[in-house]
Amino acid sequence: MRIAVVGAGALGLYYGALLQKSGNDVYFLLRSDYDVIMTAGLTVFSENGDLHLPKVKGFRFTDEIGKVDLVLVGLKTFANEFFDELISPLFGENTLILTLQNGLGNEETLAALFGEDRILGGVAYLCSNRGKPGVVHHLGEGRILLGGHARIDSTKTEIVAACFRDAGIDCRVVPDLKSARWEKLVWNIPFNGLCALMLKPVDSLLNFEPTRRLIHDIMNEIITAANAQSLLKFIPLSLPEKMVASSFKLGQYKPSMLIDRLEGRPLELEAIFGVPLRVAAEKDIQMPRTQQLFALLQLTEKD
Amino acid sequence: MRIAVVGAGALGLYYGALLQKSGNDVYFLLRSDYDVIMTAGLTVFSENGDLHLPKVKGFRFTDEIGKVDLVLVGLKTFANEFFDELISPLFGENTLILTLQNGLGNEETLAALFGEDRILGGVAYLCSNRGKPGVVHHLGEGRILLGGHARIDSTKTEIVAACFRDAGIDCRVVPDLKSARWEKLVWNIPFNGLCALMLKPVDSLLNFEPTRRLIHDIMNEIITAANAQSLLKFIPLSLPEKMVASSFKLGQYKPSMLIDRLEGRPLELEAIFGVPLRVAAEKDIQMPRTQQLFALLQLTEKD
C-alpha cells in the first residue's frame, strides 16, 4: 500500500516505521527531523525489539509525494486547520484517510473536507515519546481500535486493518468508533489533563489518595456523558477501577499533554476537552470537574 | 482592655496596632519579627493614614504575658494544634478568646479547650500583607463581622465590638456567626484556592472568561452547601455576581494562601476546604469543584 504519514511525531513515526518494515511504500512528511532522518534513517527503540530503517522516504511538502492509497494522520489536533492544505495533494480517487489523533471531532472535520465515505478513525493505545531527532522510544502497548466513520464501505476498513496487522500491529476493527473514542477519553481527560496541569507524571497522581479518588470521579463523569451519546456499546461503570489499576504500571510516564506543556507547545484542549464538553452539554450532561480542568489548562496557555 | 495577640501575622499586627493606638494594653506574641519590633517598633502603612508605634510590648512566650481580658487569635489554622500551649497561660477566670482566623472549625476547637461561654469569632475582611520585618501593608478594607460562639453572654460580645470600634475598626455584631463564616468561604475557597494553585493573583483569574465562570460556579456550589446548614440568614444567590464585581478592584492582590505557597508555608487547607467539605457531605451536598481544588492543593503540599 502507498501510505503517507502526515504528522510524524512519536505516533506517526512509530506506526509508519512498522508499516514500511512490513513492505508498504511509506512517505513521511517531516519537519524538524528531516535532515537527520534523510541522512541517518529512523530508529525505534522498543521492548518488542529495536528497529532501524536506514532509508526513509521523507518530504518537506506533501505535494512532492503525490496521491496515495492511505493517509495516516498523526498531527496534533491544534494543527487541524492545516488538514486541507496538507492532505489535498495526497488525496486521489480512492484515497482513504485514517486519523489516529486524540479526542473528538477529527473525523468530522476530515469528512467535511474529503467526504464521509473516505474517513477512518483509529484509537491508538500507544505509549511512546520522541528521543533525539530520528529516534522514537516505544514504551508500551500499541494496539489500535479501528472504525469507519459514517458512510465508509466496511471492506475498506478491513483492508486497512489487515495491512496494520501484517505490520505486527494489534489492530481490531470495532463496530462503534464513537464508543472507542469516548473510552479513550476516560483515560485521556484525567491523566493528560491533571498531569499537564500539575506538571507531574502519572504515578505522582496515582500514589496520592485524594488525586487517585479525583481521577475516579472524573472518569465517572466522562462515562455518564459518554453513555448519553447513543453509543452502540455502553461503557461499563467498572472501567475506572480497571483503568486506574492498569495505569499504575505506567510508572513515571508523562502523557503527551504534559510533554507538550513542558516543551512549550500548544495543548490539545479543544479535541480532548472542548468538543466532549460541548456534546455532553447538548445532552444536558454537566461535567463540573472536566470543565474546571479545561478552564485551568486554558489559563496555563495564557502565560 | 488587656489584650494578647497570638499569631502576629499581617492581620494580628494590624488589628493589634489599632487596638494599642486607641489605648488598650496590648501584648504581642512575636517570632521572626521580635528583634526588629522590640528595637524599631511596629509600622503600618495604610491608605487610612500610616501608623508607627515606637514602643510595643513583644514577647517570645505567652507565659511571660500573664492573664489577659481578651486573646486575639490570628494564627494560621495549620497551627491550631498549639492552641492549648499558647493560650492557656493567658487564660484567666474572665478571659475571652476571639479567633479572627479563616475557615470553619476554629471556634469549635477553642470551645473544646476553653469552654463554650468564652469564645467569639470574627470574620475579617482585610486586605493586608507583611512587608519587611516590623512592617504591615494595609491594602484595603478591614471590617470585622463579630459573633459569639454557642453559649457566650451577648453583652460580652458587645463589649469586645465596642472596644474594636473605639479603635476605628468597622466592627459589627452579627446574630449568626456561621452565616458570616460561610459567606467569607464563598470568597475564600475560589480565590485563595485558585490563586494558590495557579500561582496567579486575583486579576489574572478574573480577566479570563473560563476562570471567571469557574469562580462563579464554585461560589454557587458553596452557597448551596451553606444554605443546607440551617443558617439563621440564608446566603443570597446574587452574592457571586456582587462578589466577583467587587473583586476586580483588588487588581493584582495575592490572597494569603498564594503568599503562603510562594513563601513555602503550609496552606490552610483543612479550615478552608476540609471542614466545609465534611459538613457539606453530612448534609448530602456534593461540592465537586471544591473537592477537586482541595485534592490538587493537597498534591502541591507533597512537593
Side-chain angles (χ1 to χ4, degrees), chain B residues 65-96:
Chain B
I65 298 173
K67 310 301 182 204
V68 295
D69 302 314
L70 178 68
V71 181
L72 199 162
V73 181
L75 289 171
K76 292 281 179 186
T77 52
F78 52 74
N80 285 3
E81 58 185 300
F82 301 108
F83 275 162
D84 192 9
E85 176 187 335
L86 293 173
I87 298 173
S88 291
L90 306 166
F91 192 73
E93 258 175 56
N94 297 305
T95 303
L96 298 176

Side-chain angles (χ1 to χ4, degrees), chain B:
Chain B
M1 221 181 236
R2 221 173 123 84
I3 301 173
V5 176
V6 174
L11 176 142
L13 290 172
Y14 175 71
Y15 289 119
L18 293 178
L19 289 164
Q20 173 174 332
K21 180 84 191 321
S22 65
N24 292 285
D25 192 15
V26 181
Y27 300 80
F28 292 88
L29 177 68
L30 299 176
R31 292 169 60 161
S32 57
D33 284 9
Y34 181 85
D35 289 331
V36 173
I37 290 180
M38 294 312 279
T39 52
L42 171 60
T43 304
V44 176
F45 291 111
S46 170
E47 51 182 21
N48 304 335
D50 299 342
L51 169 64
H52 179 67
L53 301 175
K55 206 166 157 47
V56 163
K57 293 177 184 163
F59 296 86
R60 288 192 181 280
F61 301 98
T62 49
D63 53 10
E64 300 166 346
I65 298 173
K67 310 301 182 204
V68 295
D69 302 314
L70 178 68
V71 181
L72 199 162
V73 181
L75 289 171
K76 292 281 179 186
T77 52
F78 52 74
N80 285 3
E81 58 185 300
F82 301 108
F83 275 162
D84 192 9
E85 176 187 335
L86 293 173
I87 298 173
S88 291
L90 306 166
F91 192 73
E93 258 175 56
N94 297 305
T95 303
L96 298 176
I97 303 173
L98 166 60
T99 165
L100 293 176
Q101 298 169 286
N102 274 322
L104 299 187
N106 305 306
E107 288 89 2
E108 288 76 2
T109 306
L110 287 166
L113 290 165
F114 301 102
E116 296 224 310
D117 55 342
R118 303 293 194 94
I119 312 301
L120 296 161
V123 179
Y125 284 88
L126 172 70
C127 290
S128 61
N129 285 168
R130 297 180 77 164
K132 56 184 188 179
V135 172
V136 174
H137 296 278
H138 172 231
L139 308 172
E141 304 206 58
R143 81 196 137 91
I144 294 175
L145 304 180
L146 196 77
H149 178 71
R151 299 193 302 103
I152 199 167
D153 178 352
S154 69
T155 55
K156 294 183 179 169
T157 311
E158 291 294 347
I159 290 169
V160 172
C163 169
F164 274 68
R165 280 194 294 265
D166 288 344
I169 300 160
D170 176 2
C171 183
R172 304 170 218 173
V173 174
V174 292
D176 185 10
L177 178 62
K178 209 159 87 171
S179 300
R181 284 255 174 254
W182 274 98
E183 196 165 317
K184 175 109 189 250
L185 285 174
V186 175
W187 196 91
N188 263 341
I189 288 177
F191 282 103
N192 271 288
L194 292 171
C195 290
L197 181 66
M198 303 305 290
L199 300 172
K200 288 184 185 289
V202 163
D203 60 353
S204 297
L205 297 169
L206 285 174
N207 288 324
F208 186 51
E209 195 274 336
T211 43
R212 187 170 64 246
R213 187 151 42 94
L214 172 61
I215 288 166
H216 265 278
D217 291 342
I218 295 173
M219 287 180 166
N220 286 330
E221 200 170 273
I222 300 159
I223 291 174
T224 302
N227 287 341
Q229 305 296 325
S230 335
L231 304 181
L232 289 183
K233 185 188 147 209
F234 273 76
I235 298 185
L237 298 178
S238 56
L239 182 63
E241 198 69 37
K242 226 176 75 182
M243 237 179 208
V244 165
S246 74
S247 298
F248 273 100
K249 291 178 218 142
L250 297 175
Q252 298 183 24
Y253 180 63
K254 292 184 177 133
S256 61
M257 192 175 282
L258 169 55
I259 293 181
D260 286 340
R261 187 170 175 209
L262 289 172
E263 297 187 354
R265 282 192 293 270
L267 308 182
E268 297 191 284
L269 295 180
E270 187 57 18
I272 297 180
F273 288 88
V275 182
L277 280 164
R278 214 151 47 233
V279 302
E282 280 164 15
K283 305 286 181 183
D284 280 327
I285 305 289
Q286 301 306 307
M287 305 174 76
R289 298 172 187 84
T290 305
Q291 182 81 57
Q292 177 166 9
L293 198 44
F294 183 39
L296 297 179
L297 288 163
Q298 287 175 285
L299 185 69
T300 68
E301 297 224 291
K302 289 196 73 219
D303 287 343

Side-chain angles (χ1 to χ4, degrees), chain A residues 44-83:
Chain A
V44 176
F45 291 111
S46 169
E47 51 182 20
N48 304 334
D50 300 340
L51 168 64
H52 179 67
L53 301 176
K55 205 167 159 43
V56 163
K57 293 176 184 162
F59 296 86
R60 287 192 181 278
F61 301 97
T62 50
D63 54 10
E64 300 166 346
I65 297 173
K67 310 303 181 203
V68 296
D69 301 315
L70 178 68
V71 180
L72 199 162
V73 181
L75 290 172
K76 292 283 181 186
T77 51
F78 51 75
N80 285 3
E81 58 184 301
F82 301 110
F83 275 163

